[in-house]
């Protein structure tokens, strides 16, 4: 158990819909990262937040957005869902911002999203 | 993603040694991570290299050559539970993390 929690564990929805995935980082960790893992593309970095502010952006679509709240939990919002958005979404946390430091990330169990 | 290459699959025997290679584009390099991921589970951290050389941690070691854009993960005394995917990840331009597609390791008795 990494100490990172994600809800829900599974989510089934239809194309065109909007969903929100939630992540609570390990106690004391200030950074939260979001990743998408699909069968044909491996683990894709989406976005990082540090202490409430966006710190780095990866391959995140405009239909997707995220935020980190004052209590440090984070939400990933996926809208206008398409079949290709079906994937496992992981959240990870780390204690630091990562700039110039060893930035080990602890991954949550993931949310499996199925778009029908 | 971002030209991080690893073999797709490898097979080794219980008790043996296996080396999993990773090559990457060197631009913006700020560190390299290895993660282990069992099927359907979250990745777990194995090692981190930012300077050239070998980092040893029990049965696992990781090597880095920054000038060559090359790393390897060495697993010794293989156990059946080591059957998993091994992901190489590069921290590029601080906090942009790019993962390879992973190497699926099959350990046979």
């Amino acid at each position: 158990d990494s100490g990172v929690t994600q809800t829900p564990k599974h989510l089934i929805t239809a194309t065109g819909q909007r969903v929100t995935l939630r992540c609570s980082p390990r106690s004391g960790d200030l950074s939260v990262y979001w990743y998408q893992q699909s069968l044909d593309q491996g683990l894709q970095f989406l976005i990082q937040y540090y202490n409430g502010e966006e710190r780095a952006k990866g391959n995140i679509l405009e239909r997707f957005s995220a935020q980190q709240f004052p209590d440090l939990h984070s939400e990933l919002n996926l809208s206008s869902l398409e079949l290709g958005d079906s994937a496992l979404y992981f959240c990870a946390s780390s204690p630091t911002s990562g700039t110039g430091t060893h930035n080990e990330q602890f991954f949550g169990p993931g949310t499996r999203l199925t778009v029908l | 993603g971002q030209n991080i290459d690893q073999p797709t699959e490898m097979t080794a025997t219980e008790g043996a040694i296996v080396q999993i290679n990773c090559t990457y584009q060197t631009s913006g390099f700020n560190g390299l991570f290895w993660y282990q991921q069992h099927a359907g589970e979250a990745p777990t951290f194995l090692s981190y290299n930012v300077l050239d050389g070998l980092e040893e941690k029990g049965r696992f070691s990781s090597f880095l050559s920054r000038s060559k854009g090359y790393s390897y993960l060495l697993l010794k005394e293989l156990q059946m539970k080591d059957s998993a995917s091994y992901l190489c990840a590069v921290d590029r331009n601080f906090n942009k993390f790019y993962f390879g597609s992973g190497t699926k390791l099959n350990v046979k008795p």
Side-chain angles (χ1 to χ4, degrees), chain A residues 33 35 37 42-45 48 55-57 59 90 97-105 107-109, chain B residues 1-2 30 33 35 37 40-45 47-48 57 87 91 94-101:
Chain A
Y33 305 79
Y35 293 88
Q37 187 173 41
L43 205 60
Q44 300 284 321
F45 168 64
Q48 181 211 1
R55 180 58 63 99
K57 222 169 187 175
N59 301 322
F90 285 109
S97 66
T99 303
T101 62
H102 174 184
N103 195 27
E104 175 183 346
Q105 296 176 36
F107 282 76
Chain B
Q2 291 279 322
N30 289 115
F33 297 80
Y35 283 84
Q37 186 177 26
E41 297 182 10
T44 55
F45 170 81
S47 70
Y48 171 73
K57 199 188 264 190
L87 311 178
D91 177 356
F94 295 113
N95 295 343
K96 293 198 176 183
F97 293 90
Y98 297 95
F99 280 76
S101 298

Side-chain angles (χ1 to χ4, degrees), chain A residues 18-89:
Chain A
R18 173 190 169 96
V19 297
T20 298
L21 313 184
R22 183 188 167 104
C23 168
S24 292
R26 291 188 324 155
S27 176
D29 283 359
L30 299 178
S31 277
V32 168
Y33 305 79
W34 285 98
Y35 293 88
Q36 179 193 58
Q37 187 173 41
S38 51
L39 282 173
D40 59 345
Q41 288 202 356
L43 205 60
Q44 300 284 321
F45 168 64
L46 296 177
I47 198 163
Q48 181 211 1
Y49 279 83
Y50 174 73
N51 205 20
E53 294 195 2
E54 184 184 303
R55 180 58 63 99
K57 222 169 187 175
N59 301 322
I60 188 165
L61 299 172
E62 284 192 14
R63 300 184 286 111
F64 296 0
S65 65
Q67 58 185 132
Q68 187 179 27
F69 295 87
D71 67 353
L72 301 177
H73 91 270
S74 179
E75 292 181 356
L76 179 67
N77 300 296
L78 314 176
S79 61
S80 303
L81 283 168
E82 302 175 359
L83 295 177
D85 297 328
S86 294
L88 198 51
Y89 290 83

